[in-house]
Amino acid sequence: GPGGLDLFESLAERGVRLPVLFITAHADVPMAVRAMKSGAAEFLEKPFNGQVLLEKIQRALRDDAARLARRTEHEAVRRRFASLTNKEREVLAMIREGRPNKEIASRLEITPRAVELRRAGLMKKLEVGSLSELLRIAIEFEETSNGSSPAASSR
């Protein structure tokens, strides 16, 4: 059947992400580069120290747990953003532009109180307690949704 690296690449192409350490007695630089570019956690050559292997396994598991936590958090944030109404999205877009409530009200042809209510609704749905948190989560969500965040591109 396929070699370990071919199998790993095939799984990665299908979206299967596992913390994988490659151990080989016959490595070359192109093979190691290919494995790491495919998302391998580590590439070890025989012979190796058992303690080093254990440390590499522990690190790979910690990194994978952190990756899964980031993905879970991003999915939760995505669901919260999906719950926003179009009117709340309009208000959020203008808040991100730095517009005050009175200007938002004027542009949307609604009352300042309606802006306050929409703003309160979107803050509740996004589970934030301040304007700075609202802006931070909105910016981070946009970056990770566009794939431009380092967290988004991690293994």
Side-chain angles (χ1 to χ4, degrees):
L5 185 52
D6 292 329
L7 175 61
F8 179 65
E9 288 174 333
S10 174
L11 289 171
E13 287 172 9
R14 287 188 249 152
V16 177
R17 298 284 181 240
L18 299 169
V20 173
L21 288 80
F22 281 92
I23 299 172
T24 182
H26 308 287
D28 57 29
V29 173
M31 181 187 297
V33 169
R34 185 175 149 204
M36 298 308 286
K37 281 187 174 183
S38 295
E42 201 61 62
F43 194 90
L44 300 169
E45 286 187 86
K46 292 179 185 176
F48 55 84
N49 177 299
Q51 183 61 37
V52 169
L53 176 61
L54 182 59
E55 289 168 6
K56 302 280 185 183
I57 291 170
Q58 289 171 339
R59 187 174 123 230
L61 291 173
R62 274 193 313 271
D63 291 351
D64 192 54
R67 179 188 62 80
L68 290 172
R70 283 189 306 272
R71 188 175 82 193
T72 300
E73 175 60 21
H74 178 71
E75 183 58 30
V77 170
R78 188 198 62 73
R79 281 193 304 274
R80 292 193 303 255
F81 270 91
S83 74
L84 297 178
T85 66
N86 288 336
K87 292 177 180 184
E88 289 167 336
R89 290 174 197 278
E90 287 176 326
V91 170
L92 178 58
M94 290 188 205
I95 290 171
R96 287 201 54 204
E97 293 171 358
R99 302 192 188 288
N101 284 357
K102 286 183 181 180
E103 184 179 342
I104 295 170
S106 175
R107 285 176 174 252
L108 295 178
E109 299 177 349
I110 59 176
T111 66
R113 179 70 181 140
V115 172
E116 291 171 10
L117 291 172
R118 289 180 190 175
R119 182 172 166 165
L122 70 91
M123 289 180 71
K124 183 177 180 179
K125 287 179 182 179
L126 295 178
E127 300 176 12
V128 297
S130 68
L131 178 61
S132 61
E133 280 184 276
L134 176 66
L135 292 171
R136 180 190 56 76
I137 197 170
I139 291 166
E140 286 177 2
F141 178 73
E142 182 179 301
E143 288 176 352
T144 57
S145 294
N146 294 334
S148 61
S149 166
S153 62
S154 68
R155 288 182 245 168

